[in-house]
Amino acid sequence: MKDEDAIEREILDKGLNAPRLTPALIDSTIAAENYHVFPGTTLTVCCLVLANGYYVTGESAAASPANFDQEIGRRIARENARQKIWGLEGYLLRQRLFETQRPAA
């Protein structure tokens, strides 16, 4: 998130204001989140429910069970799921731009 904030500030400082995704927009697409740790493992799965009902998952696992911390596992799994939203929303924005730029038939 710190890198995201720095990039966002740089974009704003440079006056880049074409249609784009922002961290706030990505966060606004998330309606709910659910977590599951598989019994006997360090595998943590985060399922983000998007506002439109689509599901995005992320996962994390500690290589050494002795290092497993449920809170850290949840945070990493959530961030991995959230990262996937950027690609989905990027495609959607590009499609919208394409549709508004192509000549009418």
XYZ file of all heavy atoms in Angstrom:
820
model
N 0.808 -1.188 0.000
C 0.000 0.000 0.000
C 0.862 1.266 0.000
O 0.473 2.247 -0.588
C -0.934 0.017 1.218
C -2.070 -0.980 1.140
S -3.249 -0.580 -0.122
C -4.518 0.154 0.841
N 2.008 1.213 0.662
C 2.856 2.402 0.700
C 3.332 2.755 -0.702
O 3.362 3.921 -1.072
C 4.039 2.183 1.643
C 3.629 2.088 3.094
C 4.801 1.774 3.986
C 4.312 1.503 5.392
N 5.350 1.028 6.263
N 3.713 1.737 -1.486
C 4.131 1.980 -2.864
C 2.976 2.542 -3.682
O 3.159 3.444 -4.493
C 4.650 0.703 -3.518
C 5.998 0.263 -2.970
O 6.710 1.105 -2.398
O 6.325 -0.916 -3.116
N 1.781 2.010 -3.476
C 0.592 2.501 -4.167
C 0.364 3.972 -3.870
O 0.059 4.754 -4.760
C -0.648 1.727 -3.691
C -1.152 0.724 -4.635
C -2.400 0.030 -4.106
O -3.117 0.578 -3.243
O -2.646 -1.076 -4.577
N 0.491 4.346 -2.604
C 0.282 5.739 -2.214
C 1.325 6.649 -2.856
O 1.005 7.744 -3.314
C 0.320 5.881 -0.692
C -0.848 5.192 -0.008
O -1.881 4.951 -0.672
O -0.726 4.892 1.196
N 2.572 6.195 -2.907
C 3.636 6.989 -3.520
C 3.387 7.165 -5.015
O 3.557 8.255 -5.564
C 4.993 6.339 -3.277
N 2.971 6.106 -5.674
C 2.679 6.184 -7.112
C 1.492 7.110 -7.355
O 1.510 7.936 -8.278
C 2.422 4.777 -7.693
C 3.728 3.975 -7.690
C 1.830 4.854 -9.096
C 3.550 2.497 -7.980
N 0.473 7.007 -6.519
C -0.703 7.876 -6.654
C -0.311 9.343 -6.516
O -0.742 10.190 -7.295
C -1.753 7.482 -5.613
C -3.051 8.227 -5.713
C -3.833 7.961 -6.989
O -3.561 6.963 -7.679
O -4.717 8.773 -7.303
N 0.517 9.658 -5.535
C 0.984 11.045 -5.358
C 1.762 11.517 -6.576
O 1.595 12.645 -7.038
C 1.846 11.153 -4.103
C 1.053 11.312 -2.830
C 1.916 11.723 -1.656
N 3.023 10.806 -1.395
C 2.917 9.656 -0.733
N 1.756 9.282 -0.266
N 3.962 8.891 -0.542
N 2.629 10.664 -7.113
C 3.427 11.037 -8.285
C 2.525 11.315 -9.490
O 2.733 12.273 -10.225
C 4.428 9.935 -8.616
C 5.349 10.292 -9.765
C 6.392 9.228 -10.046
O 6.487 8.234 -9.306
O 7.133 9.403 -11.041
N 1.522 10.480 -9.697
C 0.579 10.677 -10.804
C -0.119 12.020 -10.654
O -0.221 12.801 -11.615
C -0.440 9.520 -10.859
C 0.246 8.238 -11.340
C -1.629 9.871 -11.761
C -0.596 6.980 -11.168
N -0.588 12.309 -9.446
C -1.282 13.575 -9.208
C -0.335 14.761 -9.371
O -0.708 15.777 -9.967
C -1.913 13.577 -7.817
C -3.044 12.565 -7.621
C -3.490 12.540 -6.158
C -4.210 12.865 -8.541
N 0.881 14.639 -8.853
C 1.874 15.717 -8.967
C 2.205 16.032 -10.426
O 2.488 17.182 -10.772
C 3.163 15.360 -8.226
C 2.990 15.378 -6.713
O 1.965 15.914 -6.222
O 3.879 14.839 -6.014
N 2.179 15.027 -11.279
C 2.496 15.224 -12.691
C 1.280 15.650 -13.505
O 1.378 15.851 -14.709
C 3.110 13.943 -13.276
C 4.488 13.664 -12.713
C 5.112 12.447 -13.335
C 6.534 12.289 -12.801
N 7.242 11.201 -13.474
N 0.130 15.785 -12.846
C -1.070 16.239 -13.538
C -1.634 15.229 -14.525
O -2.333 15.608 -15.470
N -1.342 13.966 -14.327
C -1.865 12.933 -15.222
C -3.307 12.652 -14.818
O -3.572 12.098 -13.753
C -1.005 11.670 -15.129
C 0.478 11.887 -15.438
C 1.270 10.626 -15.165
C 0.667 12.357 -16.866
N -4.243 13.071 -15.667
C -5.642 13.000 -15.259
C -6.555 12.305 -16.261
O -7.767 12.506 -16.242
C -6.168 14.400 -14.930
C -6.020 15.348 -16.109
O -5.703 14.934 -17.211
N -6.242 16.622 -15.865
N -5.984 11.509 -17.145
C -6.816 10.714 -18.051
C -7.534 9.653 -17.223
O -7.141 9.367 -16.087
C -5.946 10.061 -19.130
N -8.584 9.051 -17.768
C -9.270 7.998 -17.023
C -8.277 6.928 -16.577
O -7.415 6.504 -17.345
C -10.264 7.427 -18.043
C -10.519 8.561 -18.978
C -9.199 9.282 -19.080
N -8.376 6.532 -15.326
C -7.450 5.561 -14.767
C -8.033 4.940 -13.523
O -9.037 5.410 -12.985
C -6.117 6.203 -14.438
C -6.206 7.237 -13.345
C -4.880 7.972 -13.154
N -4.992 8.971 -12.124
C -4.826 8.728 -10.830
N -4.523 7.522 -10.431
N -4.960 9.690 -9.945
N -7.381 3.910 -13.078
C -7.756 3.265 -11.829
C -7.010 3.929 -10.684
O -5.901 4.429 -10.864
C -7.383 1.786 -11.872
C -7.974 0.973 -13.012
C -7.464 -0.461 -12.953
C -9.482 1.012 -12.982
N -7.623 3.921 -9.526
C -6.980 4.443 -8.329
C -7.127 3.410 -7.211
O -8.024 2.563 -7.254
C -7.636 5.754 -7.863
O -8.990 5.472 -7.473
C -7.603 6.815 -8.958
N -6.261 3.478 -6.208
C -6.423 2.569 -5.074
C -7.822 2.685 -4.440
O -8.420 1.672 -4.069
C -5.329 3.008 -4.102
C -4.265 3.587 -4.987
C -5.033 4.281 -6.091
N -8.337 3.895 -4.356
C -9.675 4.091 -3.770
C -10.741 3.406 -4.614
O -11.684 2.804 -4.082
C -9.978 5.580 -3.624
N -10.607 3.479 -5.939
C -11.582 2.822 -6.811
C -11.524 1.312 -6.611
O -12.559 0.652 -6.504
C -11.328 3.165 -8.268
C -12.353 2.588 -9.236
C -12.658 3.584 -10.337
C -11.890 1.280 -9.809
N -10.315 0.772 -6.541
C -10.157 -0.671 -6.327
C -10.815 -1.076 -5.012
O -11.584 -2.029 -4.953
C -8.667 -1.075 -6.345
C -8.040 -0.793 -7.724
C -8.493 -2.535 -5.940
C -8.689 -1.492 -8.892
N -10.549 -0.320 -3.964
C -11.132 -0.639 -2.661
C -12.652 -0.524 -2.685
O -13.346 -1.290 -2.010
C -10.547 0.261 -1.576
C -9.091 -0.067 -1.286
O -8.662 -1.214 -1.528
O -8.374 0.835 -0.803
N -13.177 0.400 -3.466
C -14.632 0.587 -3.513
C -15.359 -0.570 -4.195
O -16.570 -0.698 -4.052
C -14.981 1.904 -4.220
O -14.810 1.792 -5.622
N -14.637 -1.403 -4.924
C -15.275 -2.541 -5.580
C -15.494 -3.709 -4.619
O -16.230 -4.630 -4.931
C -14.449 -3.052 -6.782
O -13.219 -3.608 -6.312
C -14.188 -1.955 -7.794
N -14.859 -3.668 -3.456
C -14.927 -4.781 -2.501
C -16.133 -4.597 -1.584
O -16.220 -3.621 -0.840
C -13.634 -4.879 -1.674
C -12.429 -5.085 -2.610
C -13.734 -6.005 -0.647
C -11.079 -4.943 -1.928
N -17.054 -5.563 -1.650
C -18.265 -5.500 -0.831
C -18.132 -6.328 0.447
O -18.743 -6.007 1.465
C -19.468 -5.986 -1.643
N -17.367 -7.407 0.393
C -17.210 -8.279 1.566
C -15.947 -9.114 1.408
O -15.400 -9.217 0.310
C -18.424 -9.206 1.701
N -15.511 -9.683 2.512
C -14.343 -10.556 2.473
C -14.547 -11.725 3.431
O -15.159 -11.570 4.478
C -13.062 -9.792 2.797
C -13.095 -9.016 4.091
C -11.920 -8.056 4.214
O -11.870 -7.071 3.473
O -11.057 -8.322 5.075
N -14.045 -12.870 3.014
C -14.144 -14.092 3.810
C -12.793 -14.787 3.800
O -12.064 -14.713 2.807
C -15.203 -15.030 3.222
C -16.565 -14.388 3.189
O -17.172 -14.203 4.230
N -17.042 -14.026 2.013
N -12.475 -15.473 4.894
C -11.188 -16.146 5.019
C -11.386 -17.589 5.441
O -12.335 -17.920 6.151
C -10.319 -15.443 6.070
C -9.991 -14.020 5.711
C -10.825 -12.981 6.094
C -8.863 -13.726 4.966
C -10.528 -11.666 5.743
C -8.556 -12.415 4.616
C -9.400 -11.391 5.018
O -9.105 -10.104 4.667
N -10.443 -18.423 5.008
C -10.452 -19.815 5.430
C -9.010 -20.288 5.552
O -8.205 -20.068 4.644
C -11.196 -20.690 4.417
C -11.240 -22.124 4.794
N -12.045 -22.601 5.806
C -10.565 -23.195 4.324
C -11.867 -23.896 5.933
N -10.973 -24.291 5.047
N -8.695 -20.904 6.677
C -7.408 -21.566 6.855
C -7.702 -23.062 6.850
O -8.521 -23.543 7.640
C -6.729 -21.164 8.182
C -5.416 -21.914 8.349
C -6.505 -19.663 8.243
N -7.080 -23.768 5.940
C -7.317 -25.200 5.832
C -6.745 -25.906 7.055
O -5.584 -25.676 7.418
C -6.724 -25.745 4.532
C -7.509 -25.335 3.329
C -7.282 -24.113 2.713
C -8.521 -26.149 2.828
C -8.029 -23.719 1.615
C -9.277 -25.760 1.731
C -9.035 -24.543 1.125
N -7.554 -26.742 7.690
C -7.116 -27.421 8.923
C -5.799 -28.170 8.731
O -5.581 -28.837 7.725
C -8.263 -28.403 9.214
C -9.460 -27.789 8.547
C -8.913 -27.120 7.306
N -4.926 -28.004 9.704
C -3.647 -28.708 9.688
C -2.620 -28.116 8.746
O -1.580 -28.719 8.512
N -2.931 -26.926 8.161
C -1.999 -26.286 7.223
C -1.807 -24.824 7.600
O -2.450 -24.321 8.519
C -2.520 -26.333 5.768
O -3.561 -25.359 5.614
C -3.031 -27.708 5.386
N -0.946 -24.176 6.861
C -0.790 -22.723 6.993
C -1.434 -22.010 5.813
O -1.300 -20.800 5.673
C 0.702 -22.339 7.065
O 1.323 -22.667 5.825
C 1.406 -23.063 8.203
N -2.131 -22.757 4.962
C -2.753 -22.194 3.762
C -3.972 -21.359 4.131
O -4.954 -21.873 4.674
C -3.162 -23.296 2.784
C -3.898 -22.841 1.523
C -3.045 -21.879 0.702
C -4.316 -24.039 0.700
N -3.879 -20.083 3.842
C -4.957 -19.133 4.103
C -5.494 -18.645 2.772
O -4.728 -18.226 1.907
C -4.443 -17.930 4.913
O -3.841 -18.404 6.115
C -5.561 -16.953 5.230
N -6.797 -18.693 2.612
C -7.443 -18.205 1.398
C -8.353 -17.051 1.775
O -9.101 -17.129 2.754
C -8.251 -19.319 0.697
C -9.012 -18.771 -0.508
C -7.331 -20.452 0.272
N -8.269 -15.996 0.991
C -9.160 -14.849 1.139
C -10.058 -14.802 -0.082
O -9.572 -14.881 -1.213
C -8.356 -13.552 1.223
S -9.382 -12.063 1.175
N -11.342 -14.682 0.136
C -12.301 -14.525 -0.957
C -12.922 -13.151 -0.828
O -13.628 -12.865 0.149
C -13.376 -15.605 -0.882
S -14.629 -15.421 -2.171
N -12.606 -12.286 -1.776
C -13.213 -10.955 -1.815
C -14.456 -11.029 -2.682
O -14.417 -11.549 -3.801
C -12.233 -9.930 -2.396
C -10.955 -9.704 -1.598
C -10.062 -8.693 -2.311
C -11.263 -9.253 -0.179
N -15.550 -10.517 -2.162
C -16.798 -10.442 -2.911
C -16.881 -9.029 -3.445
O -16.862 -8.056 -2.670
C -18.017 -10.755 -2.019
C -19.291 -10.727 -2.849
C -17.846 -12.087 -1.307
N -16.945 -8.906 -4.766
C -17.011 -7.584 -5.373
C -18.449 -7.086 -5.401
O -19.402 -7.859 -5.263
C -16.408 -7.619 -6.772
C -14.964 -8.146 -6.848
C -14.408 -7.965 -8.245
C -14.073 -7.484 -5.813
N -18.601 -5.787 -5.579
C -19.923 -5.166 -5.557
C -20.874 -5.788 -6.573
O -22.078 -5.851 -6.339
C -19.795 -3.662 -5.788
N -20.333 -6.284 -7.685
C -21.190 -6.883 -8.719
C -21.451 -8.370 -8.483
O -22.071 -9.034 -9.305
C -20.594 -6.663 -10.110
C -19.295 -7.411 -10.327
O -18.823 -8.137 -9.476
N -18.709 -7.216 -11.491
N -20.966 -8.903 -7.354
C -21.195 -10.302 -7.030
C -20.099 -11.244 -7.476
O -20.146 -12.436 -7.178
N -19.086 -10.749 -8.180
C -17.974 -11.584 -8.631
C -17.051 -11.869 -7.449
O -16.916 -11.056 -6.533
C -17.209 -10.854 -9.747
C -16.232 -11.725 -10.487
C -16.677 -12.690 -11.381
C -14.870 -11.576 -10.298
C -15.776 -13.489 -12.069
C -13.958 -12.369 -10.991
C -14.427 -13.319 -11.867
O -13.536 -14.115 -12.550
N -16.403 -13.027 -7.467
C -15.486 -13.427 -6.401
C -14.050 -13.403 -6.909
O -13.770 -13.854 -8.011
C -15.788 -14.855 -5.927
C -17.188 -15.024 -5.395
C -18.177 -15.596 -6.178
C -17.510 -14.617 -4.106
C -19.468 -15.757 -5.689
C -18.786 -14.775 -3.609
C -19.766 -15.340 -4.407
O -21.033 -15.492 -3.929
N -13.153 -12.908 -6.075
C -11.731 -12.905 -6.368
C -11.029 -13.520 -5.156
O -11.325 -13.158 -4.017
C -11.203 -11.475 -6.616
C -9.710 -11.488 -6.881
C -11.935 -10.823 -7.769
N -10.108 -14.450 -5.417
C -9.427 -15.110 -4.312
C -7.932 -14.820 -4.314
O -7.334 -14.556 -5.352
C -9.617 -16.640 -4.373
O -9.081 -17.132 -5.600
C -11.085 -17.019 -4.251
N -7.372 -14.886 -3.140
C -5.932 -14.774 -2.951
C -5.540 -15.755 -1.873
O -6.373 -16.176 -1.067
N -4.295 -16.123 -1.843
C -3.855 -17.097 -0.871
C -2.482 -16.757 -0.320
O -1.753 -15.965 -0.902
C -3.851 -18.513 -1.464
C -3.079 -18.671 -2.737
C -3.822 -18.162 -3.972
O -5.038 -18.312 -4.070
O -3.137 -17.588 -4.829
N -2.185 -17.368 0.805
C -0.859 -17.259 1.398
C -0.597 -18.553 2.163
O -1.533 -19.252 2.548
C -0.761 -16.062 2.343
O -1.544 -16.284 3.499
N 0.658 -18.850 2.360
C 1.042 -20.021 3.147
C 2.449 -19.799 3.689
O 3.319 -19.308 2.972
C 1.001 -21.287 2.293
N 2.641 -20.136 4.940
C 3.970 -20.034 5.535
C 4.775 -21.278 5.155
O 4.269 -22.397 5.227
C 3.864 -19.934 7.057
N 6.009 -21.079 4.738
C 6.866 -22.211 4.381
C 7.169 -23.048 5.617
O 7.255 -24.273 5.546
C 8.154 -21.721 3.737
N 7.308 -22.385 6.745
C 7.570 -23.083 8.001
C 6.362 -22.899 8.919
O 6.012 -21.767 9.261
C 8.812 -22.495 8.677
O 8.951 -23.019 9.974
N 5.725 -23.979 9.321
C 4.568 -23.862 10.214
C 4.881 -23.075 11.486
O 4.006 -22.424 12.049
C 4.202 -25.313 10.529
C 4.717 -26.086 9.357
C 5.976 -25.373 8.938
N 6.129 -23.100 11.932
C 6.508 -22.370 13.141
C 6.378 -20.861 12.955
O 6.261 -20.114 13.931
C 7.935 -22.734 13.542
N 6.403 -20.407 11.710
C 6.276 -18.977 11.430
C 4.844 -18.549 11.117
O 4.607 -17.383 10.840
C 7.160 -18.581 10.241
C 8.612 -18.547 10.624
O 8.962 -18.328 11.771
N 9.469 -18.776 9.645
N 3.905 -19.471 11.153
C 2.536 -19.143 10.772
C 1.892 -18.207 11.795
O 1.904 -18.458 12.997
C 1.688 -20.400 10.627
C 0.251 -20.110 10.269
C -0.070 -19.507 9.066
C -0.770 -20.432 11.135
C -1.389 -19.232 8.726
C -2.097 -20.176 10.817
C -2.398 -19.566 9.607
N 1.348 -17.130 11.285
C 0.580 -16.182 12.081
C -0.701 -15.910 11.304
O -0.646 -15.424 10.165
C 1.375 -14.891 12.280
C 0.615 -13.872 13.100
O -0.208 -13.134 12.507
O 0.813 -13.821 14.320
N -1.842 -16.224 11.884
C -3.107 -16.122 11.159
C -3.375 -14.700 10.656
O -3.825 -14.515 9.523
C -4.257 -16.604 12.034
C -5.548 -16.729 11.262
C -6.620 -17.469 12.041
O -6.407 -17.905 13.160
N -7.770 -17.615 11.434
N -3.096 -13.696 11.458
C -3.340 -12.314 11.051
C -2.478 -11.929 9.841
O -2.962 -11.316 8.898
C -3.074 -11.367 12.219
C -3.361 -9.915 11.888
C -3.058 -8.989 13.059
O -3.302 -9.386 14.216
O -2.563 -7.881 12.800
N -1.212 -12.292 9.877
C -0.321 -11.995 8.753
C -0.771 -12.759 7.518
O -0.817 -12.212 6.413
C 1.148 -12.320 9.114
C 1.643 -11.364 10.196
C 2.042 -12.240 7.869
C 3.000 -11.740 10.783
N -1.137 -14.030 7.691
C -1.623 -14.830 6.567
C -2.846 -14.211 5.916
O -2.968 -14.173 4.690
N -3.767 -13.724 6.729
C -4.971 -13.080 6.193
C -4.609 -11.818 5.408
O -5.145 -11.576 4.327
C -5.932 -12.734 7.328
C -6.635 -13.945 7.899
C -7.409 -13.611 9.153
N -8.469 -12.653 8.886
C -9.753 -12.856 9.165
N -10.136 -13.978 9.730
N -10.644 -11.941 8.895
N -3.700 -11.012 5.960
C -3.300 -9.770 5.294
C -2.668 -10.042 3.932
O -2.974 -9.386 2.942
C -2.325 -9.005 6.189
C -2.788 -7.639 6.526
C -1.898 -6.783 7.390
N -0.571 -7.224 7.707
C -0.162 -7.530 8.933
N -0.969 -7.473 9.953
N 1.084 -7.904 9.138
N -1.776 -11.032 3.886
C -1.100 -11.368 2.629
C -2.096 -11.939 1.629
O -2.097 -11.555 0.452
C 0.064 -12.348 2.878
C 1.169 -11.658 3.679
C 0.612 -12.884 1.553
C 2.232 -12.598 4.194
N -2.971 -12.825 2.077
C -3.968 -13.413 1.180
C -4.894 -12.338 0.629
O -5.240 -12.342 -0.560
C -4.759 -14.494 1.906
N -5.300 -11.399 1.475
C -6.187 -10.316 1.024
C -5.491 -9.445 -0.021
O -6.069 -9.082 -1.028
C -6.646 -9.459 2.196
C -7.677 -8.409 1.774
C -8.057 -7.506 2.945
N -9.210 -6.689 2.644
C -9.194 -5.586 1.900
N -8.056 -5.180 1.335
N -10.298 -4.904 1.673
N -4.250 -9.094 0.245
C -3.517 -8.256 -0.718
C -3.339 -8.988 -2.043
O -3.440 -8.380 -3.114
C -2.164 -7.823 -0.147
C -1.420 -6.852 -1.043
C -2.207 -5.597 -1.413
O -3.041 -5.116 -0.623
O -1.995 -5.079 -2.537
N -3.085 -10.285 -1.996
C -2.967 -11.059 -3.236
C -4.288 -11.076 -4.005
O -4.290 -10.982 -5.238
C -2.479 -12.483 -2.945
C -1.018 -12.517 -2.545
O -0.252 -11.607 -2.859
N -0.630 -13.551 -1.835
N -5.397 -11.182 -3.301
C -6.706 -11.129 -3.961
C -6.957 -9.730 -4.523
O -7.398 -9.571 -5.670
C -7.809 -11.515 -2.983
N -6.660 -8.718 -3.738
C -6.881 -7.325 -4.170
C -6.074 -6.993 -5.416
O -6.539 -6.284 -6.307
C -6.524 -6.386 -3.026
C -6.848 -4.926 -3.282
C -6.507 -4.098 -2.041
N -6.631 -2.686 -2.303
C -5.682 -1.938 -2.865
N -4.526 -2.481 -3.220
N -5.882 -0.653 -3.072
N -4.859 -7.516 -5.500
C -4.021 -7.270 -6.688
C -4.708 -7.748 -7.960
O -4.560 -7.148 -9.020
C -2.663 -7.950 -6.537
C -1.651 -7.167 -5.751
C -1.390 -5.796 -6.332
O -1.637 -4.806 -5.667
N -0.908 -5.704 -7.538
N -5.452 -8.833 -7.866
C -6.142 -9.368 -9.042
C -7.232 -8.418 -9.538
O -7.554 -8.401 -10.733
C -6.736 -10.743 -8.736
C -5.679 -11.799 -8.474
C -6.319 -13.122 -8.097
C -5.271 -14.168 -7.766
N -5.904 -15.453 -7.380
N -7.789 -7.641 -8.633
C -8.840 -6.699 -9.020
C -8.289 -5.658 -9.988
O -8.982 -5.235 -10.912
C -9.475 -6.025 -7.787
C -10.110 -7.084 -6.884
C -10.524 -4.999 -8.207
C -10.573 -6.537 -5.534
N -7.048 -5.245 -9.819
C -6.435 -4.255 -10.715
C -6.518 -4.713 -12.169
O -6.868 -3.936 -13.055
C -4.979 -3.993 -10.328
C -4.810 -3.123 -9.131
C -4.665 -3.542 -7.840
C -4.772 -1.697 -9.090
N -4.543 -2.459 -7.006
C -4.591 -1.314 -7.749
C -4.859 -0.704 -10.069
C -4.505 0.016 -7.351
C -4.760 0.624 -9.670
C -4.594 0.974 -8.335
N -6.192 -5.967 -12.417
C -6.241 -6.493 -13.785
C -7.654 -6.521 -14.332
O -7.891 -6.148 -15.487
N -8.583 -6.955 -13.511
C -9.980 -7.007 -13.954
C -10.525 -5.613 -14.235
O -11.163 -5.369 -15.270
C -10.835 -7.703 -12.886
C -10.523 -9.169 -12.623
C -11.222 -9.643 -11.360
C -10.902 -10.018 -13.822
N -10.281 -4.701 -13.332
C -10.777 -3.328 -13.511
C -10.042 -2.614 -14.644
O -10.628 -1.796 -15.355
C -10.651 -2.538 -12.208
C -11.630 -2.962 -11.142
C -13.082 -2.684 -11.508
O -13.378 -1.624 -12.087
O -13.931 -3.544 -11.200
N -8.760 -2.936 -14.831
C -8.013 -2.355 -15.948
C -8.601 -2.771 -17.279
O -8.763 -1.964 -18.191
N -8.937 -4.049 -17.396
C -9.573 -4.530 -18.619
C -10.905 -3.825 -18.836
O -11.213 -3.372 -19.936
C -9.784 -6.048 -18.557
C -10.573 -6.541 -19.757
C -9.937 -6.815 -20.954
C -11.953 -6.663 -19.688
C -10.664 -7.228 -22.062
C -12.685 -7.073 -20.790
C -12.037 -7.344 -21.976
O -12.767 -7.740 -23.074
N -11.699 -3.720 -17.790
C -13.015 -3.086 -17.900
C -12.891 -1.621 -18.320
O -13.621 -1.157 -19.207
C -13.747 -3.191 -16.557
C -15.165 -2.674 -16.506
C -16.063 -3.384 -17.512
C -15.718 -2.851 -15.085
N -11.941 -0.896 -17.743
C -11.742 0.500 -18.130
C -11.294 0.599 -19.581
O -11.792 1.426 -20.351
C -10.712 1.167 -17.212
C -10.324 2.595 -17.580
C -11.539 3.524 -17.611
C -9.259 3.114 -16.624
N -10.362 -0.251 -19.981
C -9.882 -0.215 -21.365
C -11.025 -0.518 -22.334
O -11.134 0.109 -23.391
C -8.737 -1.213 -21.562
C -8.122 -1.155 -22.926
C -7.431 0.208 -23.156
N -7.379 0.469 -24.574
C -7.733 1.596 -25.164
N -8.148 2.622 -24.464
N -7.660 1.738 -26.443
N -11.889 -1.454 -21.995
C -13.036 -1.786 -22.840
C -13.976 -0.594 -22.957
O -14.459 -0.271 -24.048
C -13.786 -3.007 -22.288
C -14.936 -3.466 -23.168
C -14.504 -3.952 -24.542
O -13.400 -4.465 -24.722
N -15.359 -3.774 -25.529
N -14.234 0.079 -21.853
C -15.102 1.269 -21.883
C -14.495 2.364 -22.756
O -15.202 3.021 -23.520
C -15.334 1.791 -20.473
C -16.251 0.920 -19.659
C -16.431 1.468 -18.270
N -17.291 0.611 -17.487
C -17.191 0.448 -16.181
N -16.263 1.104 -15.500
N -18.011 -0.353 -15.546
N -13.189 2.580 -22.632
C -12.520 3.584 -23.458
C -12.600 3.206 -24.938
O -12.852 4.048 -25.795
C -11.062 3.755 -23.024
C -10.858 4.370 -21.644
C -9.395 4.288 -21.249
C -11.369 5.797 -21.603
N -12.389 1.939 -25.231
C -12.475 1.451 -26.605
C -13.867 1.701 -27.176
O -14.011 2.179 -28.303
C -12.144 -0.047 -26.630
C -12.406 -0.719 -27.941
C -11.557 -0.520 -29.028
C -13.497 -1.557 -28.092
C -11.805 -1.142 -30.242
C -13.752 -2.185 -29.294
C -12.909 -1.976 -30.387
N -14.881 1.389 -26.390
C -16.251 1.544 -26.875
C -16.625 2.997 -27.115
O -17.406 3.303 -28.008
C -17.225 0.904 -25.885
C -17.131 -0.613 -25.900
C -17.902 -1.293 -24.780
O -18.502 -0.579 -23.918
O -17.904 -2.528 -24.752
N -16.053 3.916 -26.358
C -16.368 5.335 -26.557
C -15.538 5.959 -27.670
O -15.897 7.005 -28.193
C -16.157 6.150 -25.268
O -14.796 6.065 -24.875
C -17.075 5.669 -24.164
N -14.459 5.304 -28.073
C -13.574 5.858 -29.096
C -13.820 5.322 -30.488
O -13.402 5.918 -31.457
C -12.106 5.608 -28.712
C -11.697 6.356 -27.471
C -10.357 5.934 -26.938
O -9.749 4.984 -27.420
N -9.886 6.611 -25.921
N -14.476 4.187 -30.593
C -14.681 3.623 -31.931
C -15.824 4.348 -32.625
O -16.785 4.778 -32.001
C -14.897 2.123 -31.883
C -16.175 1.684 -31.252
C -16.306 0.178 -31.316
N -17.390 -0.237 -30.438
C -17.638 -1.456 -30.129
N -16.896 -2.431 -30.589
N -18.626 -1.758 -29.307
N -15.722 4.459 -33.932
C -16.771 5.155 -34.683
C -18.091 4.394 -34.628
O -18.117 3.159 -34.595
C -16.246 5.169 -36.131
C -14.924 4.488 -36.120
C -14.636 3.992 -34.746
N -19.177 5.145 -34.582
C -20.504 4.525 -34.573
C -20.788 3.887 -35.929
O -20.404 4.407 -36.975
C -21.560 5.572 -34.251
N -21.471 2.772 -35.907
C -21.783 2.059 -37.144
C -22.980 2.652 -37.846
O -23.823 3.264 -37.344
C -22.038 0.582 -36.848
